[in-house]
Structures are given as C-alpha cells and as structure tokens.
Amino acid sequence: MNPFTRPAFFFRGRNVRLRNRRYLTLGKGIQVGDGVAIDAFGRSGVSLGDHVSIGRDAMIAATGVISEPGEHVRVGAWTAIGAFNVIWGQGGVTIGTHCLLGPYVVIVSENHSIDDSIVPIRDQGHVRAPVVIGDNCWIGAGAKILMGVTIGDGAIIGAGAVVTKDVASMSVVGGVPARLISQRQGGETP
C-alpha cells in the first residue's frame, strides 16, 4: 500500500520519489514538498514522526550502496527538514523533535577510509558512525554535520558551519570547523 494514500498524509508535492516503501514508517500529518526523494532501504529504514515537513528537493536515504545496507534515518515529531537537504543514514541518523533544518543542510554518517596512499580511495572501504541531533535544535542554512557527531538539546548550528565534534546542549556554534560562539540562557558552560 502506498503510504501517501493513508489519511495521515495530508500534503504531497509533485514528483516525489519513494524507493523501498516497505522500510518507510510515517506519522500523522506529514508534509512533503516537490521533488523530494526518500530511499528507505536500511536495517531500520526511514521513520518520520508526526507533523514532520520536508522541503522541496530534499533527499533522505538510509543506505548509500545496496550491497552494504545502512542503519536508519529517524526524524522526530514537528521537525522541519529544509529544502535541498541531504540526509544519509548509512551509520544511522537520529533527529529529535521540534528541530529546524535550514536549506542545503547536509548530514552524513559515513566517510571514506584514506589510510593507503597507493590504493584508490574508492577501494579502501568506509567507516560509519551515528549522528544524533537532540530536541529543539536549529541547524542553519548550508551547515554540514559529519559522522559520529552528537548535538545536544537546544543547540544552534550557524549557517555554513562544518560540525566535526560533539556540540553541548544549549550551545551556539559556527565556523569551519565549528567552534563555540556562545551559550544560550539555561545552558551549562561546557
């Protein structure tokens, strides 16, 4: 059964592409913009909580290469995934509730191995590590979140930041690589 025909789904844009639908779990009130692509194939697939919105031309995939299944992409309730986002769940991506992801955000949970300078990079394999984003986070436009990173509740990631290390709850970070800019009221000093 096409999950988008269920009453729980109330808005779907044009040219939405779904692959491996049997691995897709949807909450109520999902909104999907034009040109969105979701490939749910993975050990635990793709799960979208209630009232998740996905902006136009975003791409979500639980696996990059079919021969090596990825883990999952889980998105909590009331989270907004911005236009042109790329979320790859090979190592697992979990995004909390009430999060805002600006346009062009990239979240990757896998990287290439590069230890051997003689062997082509594509033949050296890869490493995977989960990405976890807490509740009520704001990820600014064009930010990149790399594998193995945990972002605490209430954190803000500045536009264009490249996050390579964990971010404490209620922190504001920015830059390349991302560094602490300030602490939000109610947050603990790292």
Side-chain angles (χ1 to χ4, degrees):
M1 176 165 116
N2 180 345
F4 289 130
T5 61
R6 296 187 326 202
F9 186 79
F10 67 85
F11 174 77
R12 181 183 80 157
R14 290 173 285 164
N15 302 315
V16 172
R17 297 174 312 278
L18 296 177
R19 295 188 69 193
N20 299 294
R21 295 176 187 184
R22 68 183 175 141
Y23 298 96
L24 179 62
T25 304
L26 298 174
K28 298 179 292 190
I30 306 294
Q31 300 180 52
V32 178
D34 292 346
V36 168
I38 300 173
D39 187 343
F41 177 73
R43 288 185 175 90
S44 298
V46 172
S47 174
L48 305 176
D50 293 346
H51 307 289
V52 166
S53 64
I54 304 173
R56 68 172 298 119
D57 294 307
M59 183 175 69
I60 299 172
T63 294
V65 178
I66 298 298
S67 64
E68 299 179 41
E71 294 300 325
H72 64 266
V73 174
R74 296 182 187 131
V75 180
W78 298 101
T79 286
I81 296 171
F84 303 99
N85 279 204
V86 174
I87 302 173
W88 288 348
Q90 294 96 325
V93 172
T94 302
I95 302 170
T97 62
H98 297 279
C99 292
L100 300 172
L101 282 67
Y104 295 98
V105 167
V106 175
I107 302 171
V108 294
S109 57
E110 179 179 67
N111 204 351
H112 294 281
S113 296
I114 58 168
D115 296 333
D116 191 326
S117 63
I118 308 273
V119 175
I121 293 170
R122 68 177 295 146
D123 295 333
Q124 292 189 47
H126 56 268
V127 291
R128 294 175 170 177
V131 171
V132 177
I133 298 172
D135 296 332
N136 192 33
C137 292
W138 177 18
I139 313 296
K144 313 294 187 258
I145 314 297
L146 303 184
M147 67 171 223
V149 167
T150 296
I151 297 173
D153 294 344
I156 297 172
I157 310 300
V162 177
V163 183
T164 60
K165 297 183 178 175
D166 291 353
V167 175
S169 294
M170 302 298 282
S171 294
V172 179
V173 302
V176 179
R179 61 176 172 42
L180 183 65
I181 294 172
S182 65
Q183 201 67 28
R184 296 179 65 204
Q185 185 174 7
E188 297 178 21
T189 303

